[in-house]
């Protein structure tokens, strides 16, 4: 069973719709007992970093999440803000992140010469692989994914970087450190490409 | 680099899909759920659904119906029509919709846009502006599905909406709607030049070259079309279609690299 963590941040409906389409066993929950039993976790998220951390801190889930992810090493997938919360901190806020990934979320530094690059980075974009991962196994040709974000993750350990995407410069569009996976884009809104990625997370981790 | 988004815009009346010409003469063109399935298979960049009668009938969005559509939408999905309450927005997001689109109520109560974007983030709040040229060639905003003149200037209003937190402006030319004769590039340019947020151009697209014009000459970040994706041939037979991603990309890329 996969638990999609409901902490009041983000569009859970879309993720549930796609997971159901691929036949995954998923529940939406903010319950400690459910998270204790989960085989995998998904941390979604749309919105501001501090709101996300505040909600997580208030949810009473932090210690069980740390246990399951860091000690028991069950697979966890962060989506968009969810992935940014895995880091230590963000330029968007003052609260500490989960600290599972050595890095931080920073605002897009757009070159004023390229001022036609609008923030947020919104729309379809490609990804360039930096290392192998089952998350992208048997991926369709020329994959593209849907992005909506003003901040992105900067990894301190380059080995954590799974893919990069270029928007003015190269940024981390997905990451993986052992059982901890994060994607900046929205697989649940990325057609067959996102469906394949989520199916890989369901089947191959 | 980002690709220019190409967005089918579908109009709802009750539970049916319709298409208008200059916002008039609605013609029934099919079942919306079926259309979504086809657009899904064609891997469209994004989809916009507008309930054209919710505001006119002074009713709330049809949540059950939105949910049925959203569960088939594996692409970004925007919904507009009858939204006047931030709790309704939350409910719509929970159904699996990414963006909500506000038209008449943004004019009636601009503070609603501020409130909505503070609560849910600018990226999910789209302000839709329907524009018609008056006798003197001046652009004017109309609300209530194009029925009510407002005396508002589209550029000034779009700038105000950006300040109030709108994430995108969905800019529609009533005069070009359903005509397949190309976008109103002058209008798109005027508005997009004045904004830092994205403009979605709408109204008049008949061929892929029109997308290029809207993006390149008009400065639009995204282009929407209705009739072009619904009708086929000069007798306007209903045939849901969408150019292959490769084709759109190649034409847009070639035109930008000149």
């Amino acid at each position: 069973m996969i638990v999609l963590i409901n902490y009041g941040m983000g569009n859970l409906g879309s993720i549930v719709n796609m997971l159901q389409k691929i036949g995954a066993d998923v529940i939406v929950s903010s319950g400690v007992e459910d998270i204790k039993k989960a085989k995998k976790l998904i941390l979604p998220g749309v919105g501001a970093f501090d709101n996300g951390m505040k909600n997580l801190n208030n949810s009473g889930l932090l210690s069980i999440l740390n246990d399951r992810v860091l000690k028991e090493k069950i697979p966890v997938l962060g989506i968009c803000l969810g992935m940014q919360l895995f880091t230590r901190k963000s330029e968007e806020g003052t609260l500490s992140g989960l600290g599972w990934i050595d890095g931080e979320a920073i605002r897009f530094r757009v070159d004023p010469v390229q001022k036609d690059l609008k923030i947020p980075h919104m729309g379809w974009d490609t990804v360039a692989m930096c290392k192998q991962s089952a998350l992208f196994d048997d991926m369709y040709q020329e994959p593209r994914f849907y992005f909506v974000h003003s901040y992105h993750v900067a990894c301190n350990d380059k080995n954590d970087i799974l893919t990069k995407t270029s928007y003015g410069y190269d940024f981390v569009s997905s990451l993986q450190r052992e059982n901890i996976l994060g994607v900046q884009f929205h697989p649940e809104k990325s057609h067959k490409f996102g469906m394949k990625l989520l199916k890989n997370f369901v089947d191959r981790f | 680099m980002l690709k220019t988004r190409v967005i089918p815009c579908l109009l709802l009346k009750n539970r049916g899909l319709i298409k208008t010409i200059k916002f008039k003469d609605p013609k029934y063109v099919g079942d919306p759920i079926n259309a979504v399935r086809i657009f899904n298979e064609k891997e469209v960049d994004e989809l916009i659904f507008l309930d054209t009668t919710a505001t006119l009938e002074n009713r709330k969005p049809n949540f059950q119906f939105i949910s049925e559509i959203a569960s088939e939408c594996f692409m970004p999905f925007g919904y507009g029509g009858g939204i006047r309450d931030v709790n309704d927005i939350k409910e719509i997001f929970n159904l699996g919709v990414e963006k909500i689109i506000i038209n008449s109520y943004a004019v009636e109560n601009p503070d609603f846009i501020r409130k909505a974007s503070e609560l849910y983030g600018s990226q999910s709040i789209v302000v839709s502006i329907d524009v018609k040229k008056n006798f003197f060639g001046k652009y004017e905003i109309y609300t209530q599905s194009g029925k009510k003149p407002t005396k508002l200037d589209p550029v000034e209003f779009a700038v105000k909406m950006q300040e109030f937190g709108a994430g995108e402006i969905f800019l529609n030319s009533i005069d070009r709607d359903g005509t397949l004769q190309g976008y109103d590039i002058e209008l798109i340019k005027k508005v997009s030049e004045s904004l830092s947020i994205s403009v979605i151009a709408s109204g008049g697209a008949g061929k892929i070259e029109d997308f290029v014009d809207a993006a390149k000459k008009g400065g639009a970040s995204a282009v929407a079309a209705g009739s072009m994706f619904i009708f086929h041939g000069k007798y306007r037979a209903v045939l849901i279609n969408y150019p292959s991603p490769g084709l759109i990309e190649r034409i847009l890329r070639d035109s930008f690299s000149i």
Side-chain angles (χ1 to χ4, degrees):
Chain A
M1 177 189 69
I2 298 173
V3 172
L4 180 60
I5 301 166
N6 180 7
Y7 63 116
M9 300 296 286
N11 199 337
L12 305 180
S14 300
I15 302 174
V16 171
N17 286 345
M18 193 176 260
L19 287 169
Q20 281 173 347
K21 185 86 179 178
I22 59 180
D25 176 17
V26 60
I27 61 164
V28 175
S29 175
S30 52
V32 173
E33 288 309 312
D34 287 328
I35 290 173
K36 268 187 190 160
K37 285 184 291 190
K39 292 234 161 52
K40 288 169 198 177
L41 300 170
I42 296 178
L43 188 67
V46 172
F49 190 91
D50 275 6
N51 274 343
M53 276 321 295
K54 196 173 74 196
N55 286 6
L56 271 184
N57 290 336
N58 293 341
S59 69
L61 297 175
L62 276 192
S63 85
I64 180 77
L65 287 176
N66 280 327
D67 276 359
R68 303 253 31 214
V69 171
L70 298 179
K71 289 193 191 138
E72 296 172 46
K73 294 195 182 292
I74 65 165
V76 61
L77 175 67
I79 298 177
C80 196
L81 175 69
M83 154 174 157
Q84 296 180 8
L85 296 177
F86 289 176
T87 65
R88 297 184 187 282
K89 60 179 180 175
S90 170
E91 288 181 354
E92 192 181 12
T94 55
L95 295 178
S96 294
L98 292 164
W100 297 345
I101 294 287
D102 184 11
E104 63 179 294
I106 62 172
R107 193 173 166 83
F108 264 110
R109 287 146 176 55
V110 176
D111 182 348
V113 179
Q114 288 178 294
K115 63 179 185 320
D116 57 322
L117 294 182
K118 307 214 178 221
I119 305 294
H121 171 232
M122 184 195 301
W124 292 83
D125 226 326
T126 52
V127 298
M129 299 297 299
C130 298
K131 65 174 179 182
Q132 282 294 316
S133 166
L135 202 57
F136 287 87
D137 269 1
D138 300 331
M139 184 51 75
Y140 298 94
Q141 289 287 302
E142 297 178 44
R144 56 197 176 100
F145 297 95
Y146 186 77
F147 290 78
V148 185
H149 60 125
S150 302
Y151 294 79
H152 64 81
V153 168
C155 288
N156 290 332
D157 185 344
K158 300 290 173 261
N159 294 319
D160 293 343
I161 301 172
L162 192 49
T163 65
K164 282 184 175 180
T165 292
S166 174
Y167 193 60
Y169 54 87
D170 288 350
F171 71 90
V172 179
S173 48
S174 68
L175 55 81
Q176 180 176 3
R177 186 178 181 87
E178 298 177 70
N179 56 317
I180 301 168
L181 303 113
V183 291
Q184 183 58 65
F185 47 82
H186 289 273
E188 75 279 13
K189 285 285 148 179
S190 300
H191 290 302
K192 66 182 179 194
F193 310 107
M195 207 177 278
K196 183 76 200 173
L197 185 141
L198 284 177
K199 194 153 175 40
N200 283 340
F201 179 70
V202 172
D203 293 345
R204 305 190 184 204
F205 284 87
Chain B
M1 260 306 274
L2 277 179
K3 302 158 174 61
T4 304
R5 289 170 285 148
V6 179
I7 309 172
C9 176
L10 303 177
L11 306 179
L12 294 173
K13 187 176 182 182
N14 305 319
R15 289 180 63 101
L17 203 60
I18 57 156
K19 187 64 201 96
T20 52
I21 296 178
K22 301 190 182 186
F23 279 34
K24 295 198 174 95
D25 308 321
K27 184 191 174 194
Y28 175 79
V29 292
D31 172 57
I33 305 281
N34 187 40
V36 171
R37 290 203 181 111
I38 297 172
F39 280 125
N40 228 338
E41 276 172 28
K42 297 195 178 291
E43 296 172 19
V44 302
D45 290 342
E46 207 165 319
L47 208 51
I48 287 178
F49 261 94
L50 300 174
D51 185 333
T52 57
T53 51
T55 294
L56 295 176
E57 291 166 0
N58 202 14
R59 63 172 163 78
K60 277 180 178 279
N62 182 340
F63 299 109
Q64 174 57 35
F65 193 44
I66 296 170
S67 159
E68 288 171 34
I69 297 170
S71 65
E72 294 289 337
C73 269
F74 301 116
M75 75 292 266
F77 173 32
Y79 168 83
I83 299 167
R84 308 165 70 89
D85 182 335
V86 286
N87 294 317
D88 289 351
I89 296 180
K90 189 170 185 188
E91 187 159 352
I92 292 170
F93 286 157
N94 284 339
L95 300 174
V97 174
E98 279 64 49
K99 298 178 184 180
I100 54 104
I101 300 162
I102 319 262
N103 183 306
S104 300
Y105 201 51
V107 170
E108 234 175 276
N109 179 10
D111 267 329
F112 183 66
I113 300 303
R114 201 190 299 272
K115 202 170 159 193
S117 61
E118 275 167 11
L119 278 169
Y120 306 113
S122 290
Q123 83 291 334
S124 60
I125 309 295
V126 181
V127 171
S128 153
I129 304 179
D130 295 333
V131 181
K132 204 152 119 178
K133 248 186 190 170
N134 69 16
F135 289 122
F136 309 102
K138 190 174 179 301
Y139 289 116
E140 181 179 357
I141 297 177
Y142 280 65
T143 58
Q144 309 281 326
S145 289
K147 291 187 172 29
K148 190 181 171 192
T150 64
K151 296 211 167 68
L152 290 170
D153 173 70
V155 174
E156 283 169 24
F157 185 69
V159 170
K160 180 173 164 183
M161 288 297 96
Q162 172 176 289
E163 281 164 14
F164 278 40
E168 287 178 280
I169 299 293
F170 182 69
L171 182 65
N172 197 19
S173 162
I174 298 174
D175 301 315
R176 300 291 176 105
D177 172 53
T179 64
L180 300 167
Q181 288 172 350
Y183 292 102
D184 185 338
I185 301 297
E186 182 197 347
L187 172 67
I188 296 163
K189 189 159 190 273
K190 272 188 172 176
V191 174
S192 70
E193 274 177 354
S194 318
L195 299 177
S196 58
I197 56 175
S198 297
V199 169
I200 306 168
S202 173
K207 51 187 188 304
I208 292 179
E209 289 72 20
D210 294 337
F211 300 154
V212 176
D213 284 350
K216 203 177 162 192
K217 296 182 191 158
S221 303
V223 290
S227 302
M228 179 178 160
F229 297 144
I230 291 173
F231 296 122
H232 179 70
K234 67 175 174 175
Y235 299 110
R236 294 168 79 88
V238 175
L239 177 72
I240 293 197
N241 65 94
Y242 186 82
S244 71
L247 181 66
I248 297 178
E249 207 182 313
R250 199 168 60 242
I251 291 177
L252 283 167
R253 190 185 48 219
D254 290 350
S255 72
F256 275 103
S257 62
I258 291 167

